[in-house]
Amino acid sequence: MARTNPAQRRYIRRFMPLMAGYILILLAANRVADTRHVDGVALALLSFLPTLPLLGVILVMGLYLREEADEYLRNRLVVAMLGGTGLLLAAATIWGFLENSGLVGHPPTFLAFPFWCGAMGIAHCVMALRDRLAGGGQ
C-alpha cells in the first residue's frame, strides 16, 4: 500500500468526520421531515443542515490543495479538478439544451457536487491510464 504524506493524512482526518456527519445529519433530517409536519423556517433549516458538512468537504479539499507540498501530486489534483469541472459544465450544458427542448426534466441541483466529485475521479482514472499506457506508471 502506498504511504501517505502529512498533507494527505490531515485531509483524511478532516474528511472522514465530515462525511460521517453528513450521513448522520442527512438521515436525521430526512427522518424528521418524514415523521413530523415541518414547514417554514424549520423546514428551511432542516434542508440546509446536510449542506454544512459538504461545505466543509469543499473547504477541506481546498486546504489539502494548499497544504500539499509535492508539486506533482498538487498538479495532478488541480488537473483532475479542472477535468471534473469541465465534465460538469459539459453535462450541464448538454442537459440544459435537452431540457430546453422538453426532452428531459430538471435534475436536482444538489447532485452537482457529487457529480463533480465523480467526474474528478474519472479525470484521475484517465490520467492514470494515460500514464500507464505511456509507461510512466508502475
Side-chain angles (χ1 to χ4, degrees):
M1 185 191 297
R3 296 183 128 206
T4 58
N5 66 37
Q8 291 167 333
R9 286 191 295 275
R10 283 191 299 274
Y11 171 76
I12 292 167
R13 271 197 317 267
R14 294 167 177 158
F15 176 86
M16 295 308 282
L18 286 167
M19 288 312 293
Y22 168 68
I23 292 167
L24 292 174
I25 291 169
L26 182 62
L27 291 173
N30 285 340
R31 177 130 174 110
V32 169
D34 289 345
T35 59
R36 301 209 165 121
H37 178 71
V38 182
D39 60 0
V41 174
L43 181 59
L45 181 62
L46 200 57
S47 299
F48 179 72
L49 284 175
T51 71
L52 294 175
L54 294 180
L55 296 174
V57 167
I58 294 168
L59 175 65
V60 165
M61 293 172 88
L63 287 172
Y64 171 64
L65 189 60
R66 187 183 73 192
E67 294 172 354
E68 180 55 69
D70 186 318
E71 291 179 21
Y72 175 77
L73 294 176
R74 191 171 53 243
N75 181 64
R76 287 182 72 83
L77 180 59
V78 167
V79 170
M81 288 176 159
L82 288 172
T85 301
L87 286 171
L88 174 60
L89 291 172
T93 300
I94 292 166
W95 194 276
F97 277 99
L98 293 171
E99 184 179 352
N100 197 42
S101 300
L103 296 172
V104 297
H106 188 70
T109 54
F110 69 85
L111 294 178
F113 182 60
F115 183 94
W116 178 80
C117 290
M120 188 175 71
I122 291 169
H124 270 294
C125 291
V126 168
M127 286 188 295
L129 180 61
R130 179 199 63 202
D131 292 348
R132 185 165 297 218
L133 292 174
Q138 309 307 328

